Amino acid sequence: MGRLFDSPWPIVIIIVVALLLFAGPKLPTMARSLGQSMRILRSEVKEMRSEGNQPQSSSSTSSSSASPQSPEAGEPPVEGKVIPPKGAEEGDGGTAGPSQRA
């Protein structure tokens, strides 16, 4: 029995088999989320490197005059419109909520 713990390979194999048995259905979603995280990390690192490669004089003036903004800051804000529920426009008392019935 002591020979099982002589090297790490039998323990690694047991852990891999247990993961495949108990976490098998979750492995594709875990791999997908890991891939998305890696893509985001790579894009952020690339963006940081491109910011670091800019000339120092132009980056110092733009960073001091502008506040940190999101990449979508140049786009106009999205405006929403509140749509009343059906029946509220007609004045039906039967479809009103509990606070409006009394």
Side-chain angles (χ1 to χ4, degrees):
M1 189 67 164
R3 302 186 97 184
L4 179 66
F5 299 108
D6 287 344
S7 69
W9 289 112
I11 297 171
V12 170
I13 292 172
I14 291 172
I15 291 173
V16 168
V17 169
L19 280 175
L20 288 175
L21 286 175
F22 296 112
K26 296 180 184 179
L27 287 178
T29 56
M30 288 170 44
R32 189 176 302 119
S33 66
L34 180 65
Q36 288 176 347
S37 299
M38 290 301 296
R39 270 186 249 119
I40 291 170
L41 180 66
R42 286 180 190 161
S43 67
E44 292 295 325
V45 168
K46 188 183 293 184
E47 184 177 325
M48 288 175 62
R49 285 183 182 165
S50 67
E51 287 177 358
N53 290 340
Q54 292 177 351
Q56 193 66 12
S57 61
S58 67
S59 66
S60 64
T61 58
S62 65
S63 66
S64 63
S65 64
S67 62
Q69 298 176 347
S70 65
E72 299 86 34
E75 299 176 5
V78 177
E79 294 184 14
K81 179 179 173 184
V82 177
I83 301 173
K86 292 182 181 179
E89 298 168 354
E90 302 164 359
D92 266 346
T95 60
S99 63
Q100 298 173 352
R101 287 185 187 157

